[in-house]
Amino acid sequence: MSKKEPLPKDWREGRRLRAWQLYQQGWKQKDIAEALGVTEGAVSQWMHRAKQDGPDGLRHQPPPGPQPKLTEEQRAQLPDLLAKGSEHYGFRGEAWTTARVAVLIKQQFGVGYHPAHCRRFLRAARVQCAKTD
């Protein structure tokens, strides 16, 4: 690793990068595995990944989360929709609840959200949430 490359995020990443260094120096995969205390299969997978994606392919990749149900555009529309007030959408009383936000999202965008996950939309829109749903 040169001084310009970022430090490994954790010891596992460091071990993968070290394996690549040793491979570049001409070490055999079985010797790398023995030196680093891993299986030959692990070293083989790392070398395949490094050859395919370069050394950055050995860096830690955060696990992908689920895709958001609402698009960025739809989320950007929510504050304006909420600002119209809950009575505008046929609810009784001007209080927004997480259950009402879930209904609004379903009506406007055809996307189902559990009410418990709708509190963040209210917070993002800086709308006060009523205690009862």
Side-chain angles (χ1 to χ4, degrees), residues 26-108:
W27 284 47
K28 294 181 179 171
Q29 289 185 15
K30 68 179 183 102
D31 296 330
I32 295 170
E34 187 177 323
L36 298 178
V38 297
T39 65
E40 289 181 47
V43 175
S44 177
Q45 288 176 6
W46 299 341
M47 296 308 103
H48 177 75
R49 207 160 72 198
K51 289 174 189 174
Q52 191 174 27
D53 303 328
D56 284 342
L58 299 174
R59 295 218 172 258
H60 173 73
Q61 304 295 323
Q67 290 292 87
K69 293 180 181 181
L70 293 177
T71 66
E72 282 292 324
E73 290 175 14
Q74 291 169 330
R75 277 190 297 229
Q77 292 174 30
L78 267 178
D80 292 336
L81 295 174
L82 294 169
K84 293 178 182 177
S86 60
E87 287 183 347
H88 178 81
Y89 300 99
F91 296 109
R92 208 166 151 195
E94 271 304 319
W96 277 113
T97 65
T98 56
R100 289 178 176 187
V101 174
V103 170
L104 172 69
I105 291 171
K106 183 70 170 177
Q107 289 173 347
Q108 295 294 312

